[in-house]
Coordinates of all heavy atoms in Angstrom, one line a residue:
K99 N -261.8 -74.5 -39.4 CA -262.1 -73.1 -38.8 C -262.3 -72.1 -39.9 O -263.3 -71.3 -39.8 CB -261.0 -72.8 -37.9 CG -261.1 -71.4 -37.3 CD -260.1 -71.1 -36.3 CE -258.7 -70.9 -36.7 NZ -257.8 -70.5 -35.7
Y100 N -261.5 -71.9 -40.8 CA -261.5 -70.9 -41.9 C -262.7 -71.3 -42.9 O -263.3 -70.2 -43.3 CB -260.1 -70.7 -42.5 CG -259.1 -70.3 -41.6 CD1 -258.1 -71.3 -41.1 CD2 -259.1 -69.1 -41.0 CE1 -257.2 -70.8 -40.2 CE2 -258.1 -68.7 -40.0 CZ -257.2 -69.6 -39.6 OH -256.2 -69.3 -38.6
G101 N -262.7 -72.4 -43.3 CA -263.8 -72.8 -44.2 C -265.2 -72.5 -43.7 O -266.0 -72.0 -44.4
K102 N -265.4 -72.9 -42.4 CA -266.6 -72.6 -41.6 C -266.9 -71.1 -41.6 O -268.0 -70.8 -41.9 CB -266.5 -73.1 -40.2 CG -267.7 -73.1 -39.4 CD -267.5 -73.6 -38.1 CE -267.4 -75.0 -38.0 NZ -267.5 -75.5 -36.6
F103 N -266.0 -70.3 -41.3 CA -266.2 -68.9 -41.4 C -266.6 -68.3 -42.8 O -267.6 -67.7 -42.9 CB -265.0 -68.0 -40.9 CG -265.0 -66.6 -41.0 CD1 -265.9 -65.8 -40.2 CD2 -264.3 -66.0 -41.9 CE1 -266.0 -64.5 -40.4 CE2 -264.3 -64.7 -42.1 CZ -265.2 -63.8 -41.4
F104 N -265.8 -68.6 -43.7 CA -266.0 -68.1 -45.1 C -267.4 -68.6 -45.7 O -268.1 -67.8 -46.4 CB -264.8 -68.3 -45.9 CG -263.7 -67.5 -45.7 CD1 -262.5 -68.0 -45.1 CD2 -263.9 -66.1 -45.9 CE1 -261.4 -67.1 -44.8 CE2 -262.7 -65.2 -45.5 CZ -261.6 -65.8 -45.0
V105 N -267.6 -69.8 -45.4 CA -269.0 -70.3 -45.9 C -270.1 -69.8 -45.0 O -271.2 -69.4 -45.6 CB -269.1 -71.9 -45.9 CG1 -270.5 -72.4 -46.2 CG2 -268.0 -72.3 -46.8
G106 N -269.9 -69.6 -43.7 CA -270.8 -69.0 -42.8 C -271.3 -67.6 -43.1 O -272.4 -67.2 -42.9
I107 N -270.4 -66.8 -43.6 CA -270.7 -65.4 -43.9 C -271.4 -65.2 -45.2 O -272.1 -64.2 -45.6 CB -269.5 -64.4 -43.8 CG1 -268.5 -64.8 -44.9 CG2 -268.7 -64.5 -42.5 CD1 -267.3 -63.7 -45.0
I108 N -271.4 -66.2 -46.1 CA -271.9 -66.1 -47.4 C -273.4 -65.9 -47.3 O -274.1 -65.2 -48.0 CB -271.6 -67.3 -48.3 CG1 -270.1 -67.3 -48.7 CG2 -272.5 -67.4 -49.5 CD1 -269.7 -68.5 -49.4
F109 N -274.0 -66.6 -46.5 CA -275.5 -66.6 -46.4 C -276.2 -65.4 -45.9 O -277.1 -64.8 -46.6 CB -276.0 -67.9 -45.5 CG -275.5 -69.1 -46.0 CD1 -274.6 -69.9 -45.3 CD2 -276.1 -69.7 -47.1 CE1 -274.2 -71.1 -45.9 CE2 -275.5 -70.8 -47.7 CZ -274.7 -71.6 -47.0
P110 N -275.6 -64.7 -44.8 CA -276.3 -63.4 -44.5 C -276.0 -62.3 -45.6 O -276.9 -61.5 -45.9 CB -275.6 -63.0 -43.2 CG -274.8 -64.2 -42.8 CD -274.9 -65.2 -43.8
I111 N -274.8 -62.4 -46.2 CA -274.6 -61.5 -47.2 C -275.5 -61.7 -48.5 O -276.1 -60.7 -49.0 CB -273.1 -61.6 -47.7 CG1 -272.1 -61.2 -46.6 CG2 -272.8 -60.7 -49.0 CD1 -270.7 -61.5 -46.8
L112 N -275.6 -62.9 -49.0 CA -276.4 -63.1 -50.1 C -278.0 -62.9 -49.9 O -278.6 -62.3 -50.6 CB -276.2 -64.5 -50.7 CG -274.9 -64.8 -51.4 CD1 -274.8 -66.2 -51.9 CD2 -274.8 -63.8 -52.6
F113 N -278.4 -63.5 -48.9 CA -279.8 -63.3 -48.6 C -280.4 -61.9 -48.3 O -281.3 -61.4 -48.9 CB -280.4 -64.2 -47.4 CG -280.5 -65.5 -47.7 CD1 -279.4 -66.5 -47.4 CD2 -281.6 -66.0 -48.4 CE1 -279.6 -67.9 -47.6 CE2 -281.7 -67.4 -48.7 CZ -280.6 -68.2 -48.4
N114 N -279.5 -61.0 -47.6 CA -279.8 -59.7 -47.4 C -279.6 -58.9 -48.6 O -280.4 -57.8 -49.0 CB -279.0 -59.1 -46.3 CG -279.7 -59.6 -44.9 OD1 -280.8 -59.3 -44.7 ND2 -278.9 -60.3 -44.0
A115 N -278.6 -59.3 -49.4 CA -278.2 -58.5 -50.7 C -279.5 -58.5 -51.7 O -279.7 -57.6 -52.3 CB -277.0 -59.0 -51.3
F116 N -280.1 -59.7 -51.7 CA -281.1 -59.8 -52.6 C -282.6 -59.4 -52.0 O -283.4 -58.9 -52.6 CB -281.4 -61.2 -53.1 CG -280.3 -61.5 -54.1 CD1 -279.0 -62.1 -53.9 CD2 -280.5 -61.1 -55.5 CE1 -278.1 -62.4 -54.8 CE2 -279.5 -61.3 -56.4 CZ -278.3 -61.9 -56.1
A117 N -282.7 -59.5 -50.7 CA -284.0 -59.3 -50.0 C -284.3 -57.8 -49.8 O -285.4 -57.2 -49.9 CB -284.1 -60.0 -48.5
V118 N -283.2 -57.1 -49.3 CA -283.4 -55.6 -48.9 C -283.8 -54.8 -50.2 O -284.7 -54.0 -50.0 CB -282.1 -55.1 -48.1 CG1 -282.1 -53.6 -48.0 CG2 -282.0 -55.8 -46.8
P119 N -283.2 -54.9 -51.2 CA -283.6 -54.3 -52.5 C -285.0 -54.6 -52.9 O -285.7 -53.7 -53.4 CB -282.5 -54.5 -53.6 CG -281.3 -54.9 -52.8 CD -281.8 -55.7 -51.6
L120 N -285.3 -55.8 -52.7 CA -286.8 -56.2 -53.0 C -287.7 -55.4 -52.1 O -288.8 -55.0 -52.6 CB -286.9 -57.7 -52.7 CG -288.3 -58.3 -53.0 CD1 -288.7 -58.1 -54.5 CD2 -288.3 -59.7 -52.7
I121 N -287.3 -55.1 -50.8 CA -288.2 -54.3 -49.9 C -288.3 -53.0 -50.4 O -289.5 -52.3 -50.5 CB -287.6 -54.4 -48.5 CG1 -287.7 -55.8 -47.9 CG2 -288.3 -53.4 -47.7 CD1 -286.8 -55.9 -46.7
F122 N -287.2 -52.4 -51.0 CA -287.2 -51.1 -51.5 C -288.2 -51.0 -52.7 O -288.9 -50.0 -53.0 CB -285.8 -50.6 -52.1 CG -284.8 -50.5 -50.9 CD1 -283.5 -50.8 -51.1 CD2 -285.1 -50.3 -49.7 CE1 -282.4 -50.5 -50.3 CE2 -284.1 -50.1 -48.7 CZ -282.8 -50.2 -48.9
V123 N -288.1 -51.9 -53.6 CA -289.0 -52.1 -54.8 C -290.4 -52.1 -54.3 O -291.3 -51.4 -54.9 CB -288.6 -53.3 -55.7 CG1 -289.6 -53.5 -56.8 CG2 -287.3 -53.1 -56.3
I124 N -290.7 -53.0 -53.4 CA -292.1 -53.1 -53.0 C -292.6 -51.8 -52.3 O -293.7 -51.5 -52.6 CB -292.3 -54.4 -52.0 CG1 -292.1 -55.6 -52.8 CG2 -293.6 -54.3 -51.2 CD1 -291.9 -56.8 -51.8
N125 N -291.8 -51.2 -51.6 CA -292.2 -49.9 -50.9 C -292.2 -48.7 -51.9 O -292.5 -47.6 -51.6 CB -291.2 -49.6 -49.8 CG -291.5 -50.4 -48.5 OD1 -292.7 -50.9 -48.4 ND2 -290.7 -50.5 -47.6
G126 N -291.6 -48.9 -53.2 CA -291.7 -47.8 -54.2 C -290.5 -46.9 -54.0 O -290.5 -45.8 -54.8
S127 N -289.5 -47.2 -53.2 CA -288.3 -46.3 -53.2 C -287.4 -46.5 -54.3 O -286.5 -45.6 -54.6 CB -287.7 -46.3 -51.8 OG -287.4 -47.6 -51.5
E128 N -287.2 -47.7 -54.7 CA -286.4 -48.0 -55.9 C -287.2 -49.0 -56.9 O -287.7 -50.0 -56.5 CB -285.2 -48.9 -55.3 CG -284.1 -48.1 -54.6 CD -283.4 -47.2 -55.7 OE1 -283.2 -47.5 -56.7 OE2 -283.0 -46.1 -55.2
T129 N -287.2 -48.5 -58.1 CA -287.9 -49.3 -59.1 C -287.1 -49.6 -60.3 O -287.4 -50.4 -61.1 CB -289.2 -48.5 -59.6 OG1 -288.8 -47.3 -60.0 CG2 -290.2 -48.4 -58.4
Y130 N -286.0 -48.9 -60.4 CA -285.2 -49.0 -61.7 C -283.8 -49.7 -61.5 O -283.2 -50.0 -62.5 CB -285.1 -47.7 -62.4 CG -284.5 -46.6 -61.5 CD1 -283.1 -46.5 -61.4 CD2 -285.2 -45.9 -60.6 CE1 -282.5 -45.5 -60.6 CE2 -284.6 -45.0 -59.8 CZ -283.2 -44.9 -59.7 OH -282.7 -43.9 -58.9
A131 N -283.4 -49.8 -60.4 CA -281.9 -50.1 -60.1 C -281.8 -51.3 -59.2 O -280.9 -51.2 -58.3 CB -281.2 -48.9 -59.6
Y132 N -282.6 -52.4 -59.3 CA -282.7 -53.5 -58.4 C -281.2 -54.1 -58.2 O -280.7 -54.3 -57.2 CB -283.7 -54.6 -58.7 CG -283.5 -55.7 -57.9 CD1 -284.2 -55.6 -56.6 CD2 -283.1 -56.9 -58.3 CE1 -284.2 -56.8 -55.7 CE2 -283.0 -58.0 -57.5 CZ -283.5 -58.0 -56.2 OH -283.4 -59.1 -55.4
M133 N -280.7 -54.4 -59.4 CA -279.3 -55.1 -59.4 C -278.2 -54.2 -58.7 O -277.3 -54.6 -58.1 CB -279.0 -55.7 -60.7 CG -279.7 -56.9 -61.1 SD -280.0 -58.2 -59.9 CE -278.2 -58.7 -59.8
I134 N -278.3 -52.9 -59.1 CA -277.3 -52.0 -58.5 C -277.5 -52.0 -56.9 O -276.4 -51.9 -56.2 CB -277.4 -50.6 -59.2 CG1 -277.1 -50.6 -60.6 CG2 -276.6 -49.6 -58.2 CD1 -277.5 -49.3 -61.2
E135 N -278.8 -52.0 -56.4 CA -278.9 -52.0 -55.0 C -278.5 -53.3 -54.5 O -278.0 -53.4 -53.3 CB -280.4 -51.8 -54.7 CG -280.8 -50.3 -54.8 CD -279.9 -49.4 -53.9 OE1 -279.6 -49.7 -52.8 OE2 -279.8 -48.3 -54.3
V136 N -278.7 -54.5 -55.1 CA -278.2 -55.8 -54.7 C -276.7 -55.7 -54.4 O -276.1 -56.1 -53.4 CB -278.5 -56.9 -55.7 CG1 -277.7 -58.1 -55.4 CG2 -279.9 -57.1 -55.7
L137 N -275.9 -55.1 -55.4 CA -274.5 -54.9 -55.2 C -274.2 -54.0 -54.0 O -273.2 -54.3 -53.2 CB -273.9 -54.3 -56.5 CG -273.9 -55.4 -57.6 CD1 -273.4 -54.6 -59.0 CD2 -273.0 -56.5 -57.5
I138 N -274.8 -52.8 -54.0 CA -274.6 -51.9 -52.8 C -274.8 -52.6 -51.5 O -273.9 -52.6 -50.6 CB -275.4 -50.6 -52.9 CG1 -274.9 -49.9 -54.2 CG2 -275.3 -49.8 -51.7 CD1 -275.8 -48.7 -54.6
I139 N -276.0 -53.2 -51.3 CA -276.3 -53.8 -50.0 C -275.4 -55.0 -49.8 O -275.0 -55.3 -48.6 CB -277.8 -54.4 -50.0 CG1 -278.7 -53.1 -50.1 CG2 -278.1 -55.2 -48.8 CD1 -278.7 -52.1 -48.9
G140 N -275.0 -55.7 -50.8 CA -274.1 -56.8 -50.7 C -272.8 -56.5 -50.2 O -272.2 -57.1 -49.3
V141 N -272.2 -55.3 -50.7 CA -270.9 -54.8 -50.2 C -271.0 -54.3 -48.7 O -270.1 -54.6 -47.9 CB -270.4 -53.7 -51.1 CG1 -269.3 -52.9 -50.5 CG2 -270.1 -54.3 -52.4
E142 N -272.1 -53.6 -48.4 CA -272.3 -53.1 -47.1 C -272.5 -54.3 -46.1 O -271.9 -54.3 -45.1 CB -273.5 -52.1 -47.0 CG -273.4 -51.0 -47.8 CD -274.8 -50.2 -48.1 OE1 -275.8 -50.8 -47.8 OE2 -274.6 -49.1 -48.6
E143 N -273.3 -55.3 -46.5 CA -273.4 -56.4 -45.6 C -272.2 -57.2 -45.5 O -271.9 -57.7 -44.4 CB -274.5 -57.4 -46.3 CG -275.0 -58.5 -45.4 CD -275.8 -58.2 -44.3 OE1 -276.3 -57.0 -44.2 OE2 -276.0 -59.1 -43.4
A144 N -271.4 -57.3 -46.6 CA -270.1 -58.0 -46.5 C -269.2 -57.3 -45.4 O -268.5 -58.0 -44.6 CB -269.5 -58.1 -47.9
G145 N -269.2 -56.0 -45.4 CA -268.4 -55.2 -44.5 C -268.7 -55.5 -43.0 O -268.0 -55.8 -42.2
S146 N -270.0 -55.6 -42.8 CA -270.6 -55.8 -41.5 C -270.2 -57.3 -41.0 O -269.7 -57.4 -39.9 CB -272.1 -55.5 -41.3 OG -272.5 -54.3 -41.7
V147 N -270.6 -58.2 -41.9 CA -270.4 -59.5 -41.5 C -269.0 -60.0 -41.6 O -268.6 -60.6 -40.6 CB -271.3 -60.4 -42.4 CG1 -271.2 -61.9 -42.1 CG2 -272.8 -60.1 -42.3
A148 N -268.2 -59.6 -42.5 CA -266.9 -60.1 -42.6 C -265.9 -59.5 -41.6 O -265.2 -60.2 -40.9 CB -266.4 -59.9 -44.1
I149 N -266.0 -58.1 -41.5 CA -265.2 -57.5 -40.6 C -265.6 -57.7 -39.1 O -264.8 -58.2 -38.3 CB -265.1 -55.9 -40.9 CG1 -264.3 -55.8 -42.3 CG2 -264.2 -55.2 -39.9 CD1 -264.4 -54.4 -42.9
F150 N -266.7 -57.1 -38.7 CA -267.2 -57.2 -37.4 C -267.6 -58.7 -37.0 O -267.2 -59.1 -35.9 CB -268.2 -56.3 -37.2 CG -267.9 -54.8 -37.3 CD1 -268.3 -54.1 -38.3 CD2 -266.8 -54.2 -36.4 CE1 -267.7 -52.8 -38.5 CE2 -266.4 -53.0 -36.5 CZ -266.9 -52.3 -37.6
G151 N -268.2 -59.4 -37.9 CA -268.6 -60.7 -37.7 C -267.3 -61.6 -37.5 O -267.3 -62.6 -36.9
G152 N -266.3 -61.3 -38.3 CA -265.0 -62.0 -38.2 C -264.4 -61.9 -36.9 O -263.9 -62.8 -36.3
A153 N -264.5 -60.6 -36.4 CA -263.9 -60.5 -35.0 C -264.7 -61.3 -34.0 O -264.1 -61.9 -33.1 CB -264.0 -59.0 -34.6
V154 N -266.0 -61.3 -34.1 CA -266.8 -62.1 -33.3 C -266.5 -63.6 -33.4 O -266.4 -64.3 -32.5 CB -268.3 -61.8 -33.5 CG1 -269.2 -62.9 -32.9 CG2 -268.8 -60.5 -33.1
Y155 N -266.4 -64.1 -34.7 CA -266.2 -65.5 -35.0 C -264.8 -66.0 -34.4 O -264.7 -66.9 -33.6 CB -266.2 -65.8 -36.5 CG -265.8 -67.2 -36.7 CD1 -266.7 -68.2 -36.6 CD2 -264.5 -67.5 -37.3 CE1 -266.4 -69.5 -36.8 CE2 -264.3 -68.8 -37.6 CZ -265.2 -69.8 -37.4 OH -264.8 -71.2 -37.6
F156 N -263.8 -65.2 -34.6 CA -262.4 -65.7 -34.3 C -262.2 -65.6 -32.8 O -261.5 -66.5 -32.2 CB -261.3 -65.0 -35.0 CG -261.4 -65.6 -36.6 CD1 -261.7 -64.8 -37.6 CD2 -260.9 -66.8 -36.7 CE1 -261.9 -65.2 -38.8 CE2 -261.0 -67.4 -38.0 CZ -261.4 -66.6 -39.1
C157 N -262.8 -64.5 -32.1 CA -262.7 -64.5 -30.7 C -263.6 -65.6 -30.0 O -263.1 -66.3 -29.2 CB -263.2 -63.1 -30.2 SG -262.1 -61.8 -30.6
G158 N -264.7 -65.8 -30.6 CA -265.6 -66.8 -30.1 C -265.1 -68.2 -30.4 O -265.1 -69.2 -29.5
Y159 N -264.4 -68.5 -31.5 CA -263.8 -69.7 -31.8 C -262.7 -70.0 -30.7 O -262.7 -71.2 -30.2 CB -263.2 -69.7 -33.2 CG -262.8 -71.1 -33.7 CD1 -263.8 -71.8 -34.3 CD2 -261.6 -71.6 -33.5 CE1 -263.4 -73.1 -34.8 CE2 -261.3 -72.9 -33.9 CZ -262.2 -73.6 -34.7 OH -261.9 -74.8 -35.1
K160 N -261.9 -69.1 -30.5 CA -260.8 -69.3 -29.5 C -261.4 -69.8 -28.1 O -260.9 -70.5 -27.4 CB -259.9 -68.1 -29.4 CG -258.7 -68.2 -28.7 CD -257.8 -67.2 -29.0 CE -256.4 -67.4 -28.5 NZ -255.3 -67.6 -29.4
L161 N -262.5 -69.0 -27.7 CA -263.1 -69.3 -26.5 C -264.0 -70.6 -26.3 O -264.0 -71.1 -25.4 CB -263.9 -68.1 -26.0 CG -263.2 -66.7 -25.8 CD1 -264.1 -65.6 -25.6 CD2 -262.2 -66.9 -24.6

Side-chain angles (χ1 to χ4, degrees):
K99 173 170 77 171
Y100 301 104
K102 186 183 286 195
F103 170 71
F104 286 111
V105 172
I107 67 171
I108 289 171
F109 301 110
I111 294 168
L112 284 180
F113 283 102
N114 281 300
F116 286 95
V118 173
L120 180 62
I121 296 165
F122 297 154
V123 169
I124 292 170
N125 283 338
S127 57
E128 281 293 325
T129 55
Y130 57 88
Y132 176 77
M133 288 311 295
I134 292 171
E135 285 300 324
V136 166
L137 292 173
I138 291 170
I139 296 294
V141 168
E142 294 165 348
E143 185 75 10
S146 297
V147 177
I149 295 169
F150 297 108
V154 169
Y155 176 77
F156 289 107
C157 289
Y159 192 91
K160 194 168 186 109
L161 294 172

